[in-house]
Amino acid sequence: MAESTVGFLINQLSTLLSQEITLLGGLKSDVQFIKAELGSMKAFLREAEAKEDNDSQLQEWLKQVREVAYDTEDVLDDFTFRFARGYMDGFYGKVGKIYNSIKNLKARHQISLEIKDIKARVGEISERYRRYQSQYSSTQERGFSSSRQANADFDIRAQSLFIEEARLVGIDKPKAELISKILDDHSQLKVVSVAGMGGLGKTTLVKKVYDDVAVKKQFQSHAWITVSQTFQFSDIIKNLIQQLYNEIRQPVPRRVESMDDNMLIEFVRDFLRERRYILVLDDVWSIDAWEAIKCVLPDCNTASRVVLTTRIADVASASCLGSLDFVYKMKPLSDKESWTLFCNRTFQSNDCPPNLEEVAKKILKKCEGLPLAIVAIGGVLALKDKEKTDEWEMILHGFGGEADGSGKLDRMKRVLLLSYNDLPHYLKSCLLYLSIYPEDYPIDVGDILLKWIALGFVEEKEGITSTDIAMRYMKELINRSLIQVKSTLADGGLDTCGLHDFLREIIVSKSKEQDFTTVATRYYTRWPEKVRHLAIHNFTDNPQEFSSLKCLRSVVIFGYEDPLTTTILSKFLRGDPKLLKVLDLRGAKLDSIPKHVFKLFHLKYLNLARTGVKIIPKSIGKLQNLEAINLVGTNVTELPVEILNLRKLRSLHLGGVGDYSNEYAMGGCKCPLGIGKFICLEELFGIEADSDKIVREVGKLTQLRRLAITKLRREDGQELLSSLLKLTNLRVLIISCIQEGETLDLQHSVSPKLEFLTTLLLKGRLERVPQWVTSLQSLRNLSLDNSRLREDENVIGSLGHLPNLVSLSLYAAYEGETICFKVGGFQKLQDLELMQLTRLKWVRVEEESMPSLRDLRLGDCKLMQELPSGIQNLTRLEFLGFYEMSDELVHKVQNLDKQSEDYQTISHIPQVSIGRWIDGQWEDTFLL
C-alpha cells in the first residue's frame, strides 16, 4: 500500500510542478525535493512490502512512508481549499492569480511550515531507505535464492496437504475432461490452461491428471515446473533439464551450468525434439513468463502437451491461441460437494451433529465453494468442542479474522494475498476501497468507477477518457480473479460485482491495518486518529464519533437502522471534512441538503438517490469540482440555473418520484437552458424535453455515452434526430414520450449513425419502426414499449436482421394477431419477452429462426390459447415463462400429459423449465 500511496502522490506532484506558473512560490524547491526523494525509493517499496511480514523494522519504515505521503497529500489539498475557491476555471488554470492574490499570510505561513516539516521527515526516511537498500543489495542474490526456495517449499507443502485434505471432492468430472483433451489423437503441440482464483484447486486437479497412469504412459518425458511470481528464466530451464535427466537416470552434462540463456534454450529443444513430452507449468503469473518459456518447447508433431495453471485469465487466453488449445475455467464446488468436503475435514465423516448443522451451514456459505477456504476453516473447527455451539458462533462472527487464534487460516491468507501483492500500485487502492462495502453487497460497477475517478485512483492518460481507464482497471481485477462478476446488463456490459467472502475479509484487514478505510457500525465505533475513507453501516447518532474528520476523503452510508437525518448530517459536517471528495448518502432520510455540503470545495461525487430532497439550492454552483450527481428517486423536479457552473460534470442522473401530470411518462427533471455547456458530460439520465431548445442543447453534449430523455413531444422528434446525429459516442439511448397516445415521431430524412449503440428503449407510439433503428449494427438490447405498431408494419421482419441483437422486449408494442419468426431471423437472440400484446393469438417459429434463444417469456397476451407453433425448433430454449395468460393456455401447461401433442412438442427441446410469475418473480414450476 505504501507503493500505491506514493505512486498516487508522485502523479499529483508531477502535475503540480509541470505548470508554467509557479504555484507555491519559494516552496516549489521543497516540493521538488519531496517528489524526487519519494520517486527514488518507489521501486524499492514493492520489494519491501513483500518482505514486511518478517521484518518489524521494515514494517515501521513502510508505515512512515505511508504517513508522510498521506500528510503531503493533505497539505496540498488544504492549500487548494484555502486559496483556490471561487475561480470558475479551476485550480491549475488560475495559479498565477491565486498566488498574487493571497491575503491570508498566516495560513500561507502555516502551510510553509508543514511543507518544510514534511521535507525533513522525507529526508530522514530517505536515509533509512539507503541503509535498507544497501542491506538488501548486499544479500540480494542470497535473498532471492532463499525467497524462491521458501516459495517452492511452501508450494510443495501446500500442495501435498491440500491433496490429502480435500479428499478429491468434485474432481472426477474435471479430471476426466482434462485427460480427454490431453490424450486426444492430434499430433501437434497442444496447450491446456487451467484458470481460476487462488484456492480453487487448480494445482490439485492438474497434479491428479499429471499422475494418472494413462497420462504417464502416453509420454516419454515428464516435467513439473512451479513458475511463481519471481521466476528466473535460467533457473527454470535448469530445473527442467534436471528433471528430464533424472527421468532417464543420467547426470546433467557439466557444460549446462555455464550456458547462457540462448544455449540453454537450444539444449532443451534438442533434447525434446524427437520426444513426446508433457510439461506442467504451475502458477504462471504473466504473459511474459509464458512467452519466455514457450520458446523452449519444440513442436515436431509428436503429440506433446503443455498444461498450465494460472489465476489470470489473460495468461490462459494468451497461452491458448492455437486451434487445438483449450482453456478450462475452474468453478467453485457445488453446495453438495462443499458440504461433503466440509464434513470430511471437520468431522472426519459425512455427518454433522444436529446441534451444529445450522451454524455449520452458515459458515460454509461464506466459503462460496472455495476448496482451500473450506479445508482451512474445517481445520479450525475440527479442534472445537462439538458440544459448545457458542465457540462455532464466534468463528462465524469473526470469520476470516483471528477469532480462532490458532493460525490455521494463515496458509489460506498467504495464498490469496499473493494475488493482492502482485497488483500494480494503481490497482491496490481500487481493490482496497471495496472494503467499504458490506458483506454480500452487490457493488454497482458504474457507481464504483465514478468513485474511483473522484478519489484520484484512476491515472489520466492522453486520448483516453477516465471512464475507459477505470473500466480497464475493473476488468483487470476481474481478469486476475480478485473481483467476481455478480450480474451483467442486457447489452453484455458489467452491472454488479463483488468479492469472495474470504478475500473480502483479507482486504478489510489489510485496509484497516494501513488506515486506508474505516467501517463504523453499531458495534464498532472507535475510529483511528485520521480517517480517510469512512463507511457507515447501521448509523448511530453519537456526537463523539464526529471528530478526526479533517483528512476525510469519502463517506458512504449503507443499510442503517437509525435513519440518517438532516440534523445528524449537519452535525457530522461540522466536523470540518473540508477535503471530502465523495459523499454517498443514498437512501438517507433527508428532506434538504445541509448548507455545509456547499462548502466542500473538493467534492467530486454527490449521491442523494432515494432521499427526500425536494430542492437543489442555487449554492450548488459553488461545487465547481463536482463530476457526478445522482438525484434518482428524489422529489427534485427542477434544477437551478446555477448548476451550469459545474463544467466538470461527467455524470448527471435525474428522475424523481414527484407529482407529475401523468403517470405514463418516465420520471424526469427540468433542466435550465444552457446544458450544452456540460462538454465533459458522459451520462445524462432523466432530462425532460420540455422545449425544442432543450432538445437542441442535447446535441452539443458530444461526449455523451448514455442518454435518457423523457416527455418528448411529437413536434420535437426531428430536432432530437438532428441532435442524435452529433452524439456519435452513444452506447445507451432511452426515449420516452410526454403522455400516453403521444407519437414518437422518429422517422425523418435525418438518420443518426449510432455505430456504438448497444441498448435502445423507445416508449411511446410509433407509426413504424424507424429505419435508422434497423441499421444499428452494434445493438444488443432493444425494448419497444407501448409502440402499438400495426400488423402490416412487418415489425418482426424489420428487426430480424439486426446482426448482434441478444435481447428483445415487446411491451404493448404490437397490435397484430400473429407474430411469425421467419427462417434465418434473430440469429443471436437469447431473450425474448412478449408482454401485453392484447390482440395476439398466434406465435409461429419457423426452422432456423432464433437458434440461440434461451428464455421466452409471455405475459398478458390473453387471446393466446396455444403454445407457440414450431416451439420445438428452439433447441437451446431453457426457460418458458407465463404471466397473466389465458386460463385455457395456463391449464394446458399445468396439466401437460406426457401423451399429449403439446408435451411431445416441447419434449423435443433438450432441457426446458416452465415457470410462472409468482410474488413478483419468475419461478420454475417444473422441469421437462
Side-chain angles (χ1 to χ4, degrees):
M1 186 60 195
E3 180 202 16
S4 176
T5 307
V6 168
F8 175 53
L9 177 60
I10 288 173
N11 288 337
Q12 283 189 307
L13 293 174
S14 297
T15 302
L16 186 70
L17 293 170
S18 67
Q19 306 307 309
E20 296 180 2
I21 304 173
T22 302
L23 173 64
L24 296 171
L27 298 177
K28 184 173 182 179
S29 61
D30 293 337
V31 175
Q32 287 175 323
F33 173 84
I34 293 170
K35 175 181 177 291
E37 290 297 297
L38 291 176
S40 68
M41 65 181 79
K42 181 173 178 289
F44 178 68
L45 290 174
R46 173 176 285 257
E47 183 183 348
E49 288 185 316
K51 296 180 171 71
E52 67 171 317
D53 287 343
N54 301 315
D55 190 328
S56 59
Q57 288 185 327
L58 204 56
Q59 285 180 349
E60 179 60 29
W61 180 77
L62 286 168
K63 181 181 178 182
Q64 291 176 5
V65 173
R66 283 194 300 269
E67 288 177 350
V68 79
Y70 282 149
D71 290 347
T72 306
E73 181 191 353
D74 291 344
V75 170
L76 295 178
D77 281 350
D78 188 31
F79 183 88
T80 310
F81 173 78
R82 290 175 184 271
F83 306 123
R85 289 174 291 175
Y87 292 90
M88 301 305 299
D89 293 329
F91 182 51
Y92 296 123
K94 296 289 185 180
V95 289
K97 187 174 181 180
I98 295 168
Y99 184 73
N100 292 323
S101 64
I102 291 176
K103 298 179 181 179
N104 194 338
L105 295 178
K106 183 177 179 181
R108 178 172 175 76
H109 178 67
Q110 178 62 35
I111 287 175
S112 174
L113 292 176
E114 291 174 353
I115 289 286
K116 291 187 180 300
D117 176 65
I118 287 172
K119 178 183 177 182
R121 289 164 60 194
V122 169
E124 293 174 5
I125 289 171
S126 294
E127 283 299 316
R128 291 187 65 187
Y129 154 65
R130 279 184 271 276
R131 290 200 299 273
Y132 276 121
Q133 190 181 37
S134 174
Q135 173 187 336
Y136 280 105
S137 62
S138 64
T139 60
Q140 190 171 28
E141 184 176 347
R142 174 169 51 82
F144 277 145
S145 176
S146 62
S147 174
R148 284 198 305 275
Q149 184 61 46
N151 281 338
D153 289 344
F154 169 70
D155 286 340
I156 292 169
R157 288 196 304 273
Q159 176 185 313
S160 60
L161 176 65
F162 185 68
I163 291 172
E164 177 187 352
E165 291 183 338
R167 307 277 179 90
L168 310 181
V169 170
I171 207 171
D172 292 340
K173 185 176 179 181
K175 177 186 172 185
E177 185 175 356
L178 287 185
I179 288 177
S180 70
K181 297 294 182 182
I182 290 171
L183 299 184
D184 61 21
D185 55 4
H186 293 290
S187 61
Q188 299 101 310
L189 177 65
K190 181 176 182 178
V191 180
V192 175
S193 286
V194 180
M197 74 176 290
L200 273 176
K202 301 181 294 296
T203 299
T204 300
L205 170 61
V206 172
K207 188 67 167 65
K208 295 307 294 181
V209 171
Y210 180 75
D211 288 339
D212 186 84
V213 174
V215 173
K216 283 287 185 186
K217 72 179 184 180
Q218 197 76 14
F219 299 94
Q220 296 168 284
S221 295
H222 312 76
W224 180 292
I225 302 294
T226 299
V227 181
S228 76
Q229 292 166 297
T230 56
F231 87 103
Q232 297 291 312
F233 180 75
S234 60
D235 290 351
I236 290 283
I237 303 308
K238 288 177 182 178
N239 184 358
L240 173 59
I241 293 171
Q242 185 70 58
Q243 291 188 49
L244 294 174
Y245 271 80
N246 286 346
E247 191 170 39
I248 61 174
R249 299 182 180 180
Q250 291 185 19
V252 175
R254 291 184 179 180
R255 67 181 187 276
V256 168
E257 196 60 37
S258 59
M259 288 181 177
D260 61 21
D261 288 353
N262 290 331
M263 295 170 69
L264 288 170
I265 291 171
E266 285 304 315
F267 185 88
V268 174
R269 290 179 67 87
D270 287 342
F271 184 95
L272 295 176
R273 200 174 304 277
E274 302 302 327
R275 291 173 174 270
R276 188 177 190 191
Y277 61 86
I278 181 170
L279 172 62
V280 174
L281 300 174
D282 186 33
D283 200 23
V284 181
W285 284 83
S286 70
I287 295 175
D288 288 344
W290 159 248
E291 293 291 343
I293 298 171
K294 182 177 70 171
C295 66
V296 179
L297 310 174
D299 183 6
C300 301
N301 292 320
T302 56
S304 295
R305 300 291 183 258
V306 176
V307 184
L308 178 149
T309 72
T310 182
R311 303 181 185 202
I312 301 174
D314 283 353
V315 173
S317 301
S319 65
C320 293
L321 298 178
S323 59
L324 300 177
D325 297 341
F326 175 70
V327 176
Y328 181 82
K329 296 181 179 178
M330 287 287 287
K331 297 178 181 178
L333 297 178
S334 67
D335 290 346
K336 183 178 180 181
E337 292 166 341
S338 296
W339 183 249
T340 299
L341 176 58
F342 178 80
C343 290
N344 284 343
R345 177 68 183 110
T346 309
F347 309 112
Q348 290 73 51
S349 71
N350 289 326
D351 298 320
C352 171
N355 65 309
L356 294 175
E357 188 166 335
E358 183 179 353
V359 66
K361 287 185 175 179
K362 288 180 180 178
I363 293 173
L364 185 62
K365 184 176 182 293
K366 291 177 175 286
C367 295
E368 298 184 49
L370 191 67
L372 183 61
I374 297 171
V375 169
I377 201 70
V380 172
L381 295 171
L383 303 177
K384 299 298 177 185
D385 191 328
K386 307 300 186 290
E387 302 299 323
K388 296 181 179 179
T389 57
D390 57 328
E391 291 187 7
W392 288 58
E393 292 285 350
M394 284 179 62
I395 296 296
L396 173 63
H397 296 303
F399 189 80
E402 299 299 332
D404 168 65
S406 66
K408 288 183 174 289
L409 300 181
D410 287 349
R411 174 177 158 258
M412 183 204 65
K413 290 181 178 180
R414 287 200 300 272
V415 169
L416 296 179
L417 271 175
L418 285 174
S419 294
Y420 170 79
N421 291 333
D422 187 60
L423 289 175
H425 72 88
Y426 56 85
L427 290 182
K428 286 183 177 177
S429 295
C430 294
L431 183 64
L432 286 184
Y433 190 71
L434 299 187
S435 63
I436 67 170
Y437 291 93
E439 184 179 329
D440 299 325
Y441 189 90
I443 302 170
D444 184 280
V445 171
D447 185 66
I448 191 61
L449 297 189
L450 288 172
K451 288 187 171 85
W452 285 350
I453 294 169
L455 292 168
F457 298 160
V458 177
E459 298 180 357
E460 295 184 3
K461 294 184 180 179
E462 189 173 351
I464 309 176
T465 67
S466 296
T467 305
D468 284 340
I469 298 172
M471 182 57 80
R472 287 184 186 180
Y473 289 6
M474 172 62 69
K475 289 182 177 178
E476 188 170 351
L477 288 167
I478 292 169
N479 174 50
R480 289 170 173 267
S481 304
L482 287 167
I483 288 181
Q484 299 173 331
V485 177
K486 296 296 186 182
S487 65
T488 57
L489 301 168
D491 65 359
L494 298 174
D495 182 25
T496 61
C497 65
L499 297 170
H500 188 284
D501 275 357
F502 253 110
L503 182 60
R504 176 185 172 274
E505 291 295 338
I506 291 170
I507 296 302
V508 167
S509 175
K510 198 81 175 172
S511 186
K512 187 187 300 181
E513 166 193 317
Q514 299 180 359
D515 291 335
F516 186 69
T517 62
T518 300
V519 176
T521 68
R522 185 174 295 276
Y523 308 103
Y524 178 79
T525 57
R526 294 184 62 186
W527 297 1
E529 184 179 347
K530 294 181 179 180
V531 181
R532 302 193 76 78
H533 303 291
L534 174 65
I536 301 174
H537 303 178
N538 297 326
F539 201 90
T540 178
D541 182 10
N542 185 346
Q544 293 182 350
E545 293 180 0
F546 302 148
S547 58
S548 305
L549 301 181
K550 293 185 179 181
C551 301
L552 198 62
R553 293 308 197 279
S554 70
V555 176
V556 185
I557 66 167
F558 298 97
Y560 44 80
E561 294 173 11
D562 295 337
L564 175 60
T565 63
T566 305
T567 303
I568 298 173
L569 180 59
S570 296
K571 189 186 300 181
F572 176 84
L573 293 171
R574 284 198 289 272
D576 195 23
K578 59 186 177 183
L579 305 182
L580 199 67
K581 294 182 179 181
V582 168
L583 183 58
D584 188 344
L585 303 174
R586 181 183 181 89
K589 191 177 180 181
L590 302 176
D591 49 22
S592 63
I593 308 173
K595 294 179 181 179
H596 290 80
V597 169
F598 305 108
K599 296 180 181 180
L600 301 174
F601 172 78
H602 285 284
L603 196 66
K604 294 186 176 183
Y605 171 103
L606 178 61
N607 190 348
L608 298 169
R610 298 185 182 178
T611 64
V613 171
K614 302 179 181 66
I615 296 174
I616 301 298
K618 295 179 180 181
S619 45
I620 189 73
K622 296 179 180 179
L623 301 178
Q624 300 163 28
N625 290 305
L626 209 55
E627 296 177 357
I629 308 175
N630 191 339
L631 299 174
V632 172
T634 65
N635 293 308
V636 176
T637 59
E638 186 171 1
L639 296 178
V641 69
E642 285 76 13
I643 200 166
L644 300 179
N645 293 336
L646 310 183
R647 303 297 176 83
K648 296 182 181 180
L649 268 185
R650 67 172 75 243
S651 176
L652 180 57
H653 280 236
L654 309 169
V657 293
D659 182 22
Y660 292 98
S661 57
N662 67 83
E663 296 180 357
Y664 180 79
M666 295 170 61
C669 185
K670 291 182 179 180
C671 293
L673 290 177
I675 59 168
K677 295 177 182 178
F678 293 146
I679 58 173
C680 298
L681 204 62
E682 297 177 10
E683 296 182 327
L684 177 57
F685 265 67
I687 181 175
E688 289 187 8
D690 58 347
S691 72
D692 60 339
K693 292 180 181 178
I694 286 288
V695 175
R696 193 177 302 121
E697 287 275 321
V698 169
K700 298 178 182 178
L701 306 175
T702 56
Q703 298 302 310
L704 272 185
R705 298 185 175 202
R706 295 158 61 88
L707 170 64
I709 189 166
T710 185
K711 295 195 176 181
L712 184 72
R713 302 175 303 177
R714 176 171 186 152
E715 58 266 31
D716 293 330
Q718 185 171 358
E719 191 68 63
L720 178 60
L721 292 177
S722 297
S723 288
L724 293 178
L725 196 61
K726 305 170 188 175
L727 305 184
T728 55
N729 290 310
L730 272 185
R731 270 68 168 174
V732 175
L733 176 61
I734 298 172
I735 304 172
S736 173
C737 67
I738 191 167
Q739 60 187 2
E740 190 168 6
E742 185 84 3
T743 297
L744 290 175
D745 187 13
L746 301 175
Q747 183 71 44
H748 289 276
S749 57
V750 179
S751 185
K753 310 295 183 184
L754 304 174
E755 59 179 306
F756 300 116
L757 195 72
T758 61
T759 296
L760 176 63
L761 187 158
L762 301 177
K763 183 172 183 178
R765 193 176 187 88
L766 294 171
E767 293 178 348
R768 63 182 64 87
V769 177
Q771 189 170 355
W772 59 270
V773 172
T774 63
S775 64
L776 296 172
Q777 299 298 297
S778 299
L779 194 67
R780 293 174 57 85
N781 179 32
L782 174 62
S783 296
L784 300 180
D785 189 339
N786 279 279
S787 304
R788 308 290 179 188
L789 289 156
R790 299 189 299 273
E791 187 164 9
D792 59 358
E793 289 301 331
N794 189 24
V795 180
I796 301 303
S798 65
L799 300 176
H801 300 291
L802 287 168
N804 290 297
L805 194 65
V806 172
S807 175
L808 174 63
S809 176
L810 301 179
Y811 181 89
Y814 181 68
E815 295 189 335
E817 294 184 350
T818 303
I819 288 181
C820 181
F821 296 92
K822 296 188 176 181
V823 175
F826 299 100
Q827 288 296 295
K828 292 188 178 181
L829 194 68
Q830 296 179 14
D831 299 292
L832 174 62
E833 279 192 330
L834 304 177
M835 298 287 176
Q836 212 175 89
L837 306 183
T838 55
R839 298 185 183 181
L840 184 66
K841 294 181 179 179
W842 301 284
V843 175
R844 294 206 303 271
V845 181
E846 296 183 358
E847 290 185 12
E848 299 180 20
S849 174
M850 301 190 289
S852 304
L853 196 70
R854 296 177 183 174
D855 279 29
L856 173 57
R857 301 164 194 265
L858 305 170
D860 208 6
C861 304
K862 294 185 178 178
L863 294 185
M864 277 191 69
Q865 298 181 5
E866 304 289 340
L867 288 171
S869 170
I871 193 173
Q872 69 274 12
N873 296 322
L874 304 176
T875 55
R876 294 190 180 180
L877 194 66
E878 297 175 359
F879 182 78
L880 176 61
F882 297 94
Y883 168 68
E884 294 292 328
M885 298 297 284
S886 68
D887 293 340
E888 184 173 344
L889 181 57
V890 171
H891 180 75
K892 281 186 178 181
V893 172
Q894 288 179 329
N895 300 279
L896 279 178
D897 189 297
K898 290 192 176 183
Q899 305 304 318
S900 70
E901 184 178 344
D902 285 332
Y903 184 89
Q904 295 301 319
T905 298
I906 300 179
S907 64
H908 282 84
I909 303 172
Q911 184 176 14
V912 59
S913 60
I914 298 180
R916 295 185 65 193
W917 185 262
I918 302 172
D919 295 331
Q921 61 183 356
W922 290 99
E923 291 188 4
D924 293 352
T925 52
F926 59 88
L927 178 69
L928 289 179

